[in-house]
Amino acid sequence: MMNQENQFQFNYLQIEDIPKLIECVRRCYGESYPFKQIYSPSALEELVLNQLMHSVVCKDANQNVLGHGALTFSGEENSSPELGKLFVDPDHRGHHIADLLAAELVNLSNNLSLPGFWSECVTNHPYSQDVVIAAGGVEVGLLLGDLPATLKMQGENNFSDSRMSLLTYYVPSANAKPSNIFIPESQANHIKALASHANQARHISTELFSGSGQTKFSSNIDLATLDACIQITSIGSDFSSVIQSEIDTLEKR
C-alpha cells in the first residue's frame, strides 16, 4: 500500500528488508530493545521463514525502513499472536505511520483467520494504546514494572529510576468461534466477567477431568527480566509430578 501524501510504502517484511529494519530499531532504541532477536539477521530470517512472525514495514522511496509492526506467535500451537514490535523512526513521527501499520496488521489478522490477537502497550505514552483501542482492543490486564529499566525510547519520556509498566489488550476477531475454558469453580465468576468484558464467547466448565497420556510442555527463562514461563499444550496423567519437577528445575536456574 502506498500513502500518496507522504509517499510512504507499506509492505510485508521481506528477507532483504531485514538489515534496514535493524537500522530502524537502533534509531528508535539504540541497543536497549528487550526482544534481542530483532538485532540478529539470522534470528529474524528464521522467524519469518517459519511464519512465527508476520511483519509489516513502512518504507520511504529509497527503501529505508521507517516503521515496523508484527504479529508474533510464541510457538506453532499458538493461535492468538501478539501485535507488537511496533515502532516508528523518531524523525518520521506525526504522520500516522503507527496507525497505518496497525491497520495493515488487523487486515493481516483477518486474512490469517485468527481468533484474535493481544498486545502489551507501554504506559509512558498513549500512542500505542490509541492504536490498539482503535482496532477494537479491550484492556484485560496491567503488568506493573515489567519492562527492564535499561529500555530507552528515543524522543520519549525515559525514567532512569524506575521500570515502565505495560497495559495488556485483547483484540477479538469478528469471526471467532466460541471456545472452551475449564476452570476451578472458585474462579468461574471472575473468568465469566473477564470474557464478557473482552466480548469473548466462552463455554465455561467447572467439571473435573483427569489427564491422559503424557504431559506435553515447553519452558524458557528470559535472562533480561529473570521471568520463567511454562507453556502446556497437553495435560497428561503425570501432570502434577512433571510440572512440579520443572518448576524445581527452573527455580534452581
Side-chain angles (χ1 to χ4, degrees), residues 71-215:
L71 295 172
T72 307
F73 293 89
S74 60
E76 295 180 358
E77 303 87 4
N78 181 224
S79 60
S80 291
E82 177 191 9
L83 185 150
K85 302 169 185 62
L86 184 64
F87 46 81
V88 176
D89 187 306
D91 292 334
H92 291 84
R93 292 171 185 165
H95 298 285
H96 302 290
I97 290 175
D99 295 340
L100 294 169
L101 286 168
E104 288 296 308
L105 290 171
V106 171
N107 290 335
L108 176 59
S109 172
N110 292 331
N111 292 339
L112 293 173
S113 299
L114 301 176
F117 56 85
W118 60 279
S119 184
E120 292 177 341
C121 301
V122 294
T123 56
N124 63 312
H125 65 69
Y127 313 132
S128 59
Q129 298 171 44
D130 290 342
V131 165
V132 177
I133 291 171
V138 178
E139 304 97 324
V140 294
L142 177 64
L143 300 174
L144 296 173
D146 182 69
L147 290 173
T150 53
L151 177 67
K152 303 296 180 185
M153 298 181 178
Q154 300 300 319
E156 301 295 344
N157 294 328
N158 291 287
F159 306 97
S160 60
D161 59 345
S162 63
R163 298 171 63 182
M164 287 184 287
S165 300
L166 295 172
L167 194 58
T168 307
Y169 289 83
Y170 188 73
V171 183
S173 167
N175 300 318
K177 297 180 179 179
S179 57
N180 300 315
I181 297 179
F182 299 91
I183 200 77
E185 189 171 358
S186 61
Q187 299 177 23
N189 288 336
H190 172 67
I191 296 299
K192 287 178 182 178
L194 182 60
S196 176
H197 171 69
N199 195 27
Q200 295 296 287
R202 294 291 184 265
H203 300 307
I204 297 176
S205 174
T206 59
E207 294 183 57
L208 297 178
F209 296 91
S210 298
S212 60
Q214 289 186 322
T215 297

Side-chain angles (χ1 to χ4, degrees), residues 34-54:
F35 182 70
K36 296 306 179 185
Q37 293 97 314
I38 207 162
Y39 294 105
S40 168
S42 60
L44 287 174
E45 182 172 343
E46 183 177 355
L47 286 171
V48 172
L49 293 178
N50 290 332
Q51 297 186 333
L52 293 177
M53 187 174 82
H54 299 260

